[in-house]
Amino acid sequence: MAGKLFLGNRRYSSWSLRGWLMVRLAGLEVDEVVIPMSVGKTAAITEVSPNGLVPYLEHEGARVWESLAIAEYCAELNPALWPAGRLARAHARAIASEMHAGFRALRQAMPMILGRTIPGVGQNPESLADIARITQIFGNTRTVFGAGGPYLFGEVFGAADAMFAPVVARFLIYQPELGPVVRDYCAAVRAHPLVAKWYELAAAEPDAWLLERYESIA
Ligand SMILES: N[C@@H](CCC(=O)N[C@@H](CS)C(=O)NCC(=O)O)C(=O)O
């Protein structure tokens, strides 16, 4: 193997899902090291990762942390992670950056807990404002760039889709009111073979990794 990809456990680690999708889309041959997360800082993550966070990638001498940097590294090896046209590529980078930098209210109110369905939980004015902006992004991107396939930029599931995959997971868990375009996009992302594989691996994680803090949300 050409390196290692450090991840948090799949049930909860939304940023790890992004990094893992990038690495798998680029076809990097790396060992996966899954670290069960604690509430607060996880000592085993702090020990291995330069910024104390996962995902963290070591590949052929490169050390890459931050999911967006992992996306760019992977796109150097497989340029199809970003769409081909200049305008589409600019838009993809803009929405991926907006995701990386923002939507804190949504992320805090609706943590990713794969395998749960808790409709209506987590809705407050701030999280609903984030959802409104995200659905605007999905709708606008699909309309302008999405012809020819079910993903944001059409046929190819790329880095922008990977950045938003954990948001799709949250929409499926918390089921806020969504229009048909967004519902169809969510279904397409959930059905993507890599996303399906992540859910499968999450479901196989040991019960000892469950955290009361998340599991008690109802
Ligand atoms: N900005 C970072 C965020 C990464 C992040 O917050 N990861 C969480 C897990 S989803 C983490 O490592 N938390 C620290 C811990 O659990 O100790 C990125 O884009 O990769």
Side-chain angles (χ1 to χ4, degrees):
M1 286 290 176
K4 285 183 185 172
L5 176 63
F6 295 89
L7 304 165
N9 48 313
R10 290 179 164 89
R11 185 173 176 85
Y12 305 130
S13 187
S14 52
W15 292 104
S16 296
L17 169 55
R18 297 179 172 99
W20 182 84
L21 286 170
M22 307 297 176
V23 164
R24 291 292 156 227
L25 289 169
L28 305 193
E29 297 202 346
V30 291
D31 284 321
E32 292 171 16
V33 182
V34 178
I35 301 174
M37 300 199 336
S38 330
V39 175
K41 286 304 262 181
T42 307
I45 295 178
T46 312
E47 274 167 31
V48 293
S49 164
N51 68 342
L53 300 172
V54 283
Y56 167 51
L57 173 66
E58 294 176 349
H59 180 252
E60 295 183 348
R63 305 172 77 224
V64 200
W65 55 98
E66 290 294 332
S67 52
L68 199 51
I70 293 172
E72 290 296 357
Y73 180 78
C74 290
E76 283 186 26
L77 302 170
N78 175 9
L81 261 74
W82 296 120
R86 181 176 63 88
L87 301 186
R89 214 162 45 245
H91 187 81
R93 284 201 165 99
I95 62 174
S97 300
E98 187 174 346
M99 178 66 247
H100 187 248
F103 305 124
R104 187 174 296 272
L106 170 69
R107 293 192 281 109
Q108 279 180 353
M110 301 184 187
M112 191 176 89
I113 316 171
L114 296 187
R116 299 279 313 275
T117 310
I118 27 184
V121 169
Q123 296 191 11
N124 59 50
E126 294 78 20
S127 64
L128 290 173
D130 281 354
I131 289 169
R133 171 61 188 147
I134 290 166
T135 57
Q136 187 183 45
I137 290 173
F138 288 174
N140 170 259
T141 308
R142 291 273 310 127
T143 302
V144 179
F145 299 105
Y151 304 117
L152 290 172
F153 294 87
E155 200 181 348
V156 177
F157 181 101
D161 299 291
M163 285 304 284
F164 283 98
V167 168
V168 166
R170 288 174 163 98
F171 285 179
L172 297 173
I173 296 165
Y174 296 94
Q175 301 184 0
E177 208 177 310
L178 302 169
V181 172
V182 174
R183 282 203 306 272
D184 287 353
Y185 173 65
C186 290
V189 169
R190 177 63 183 84
H192 187 278
L194 284 175
V195 175
K197 181 74 187 168
W198 180 274
Y199 271 77
E200 200 182 292
L201 293 167
E205 287 176 345
D207 287 351
W209 291 3
L210 296 178
L211 294 175
E212 182 59 20
R213 174 188 173 158
Y214 297 122
E215 302 303 332
S216 62
I217 295 174

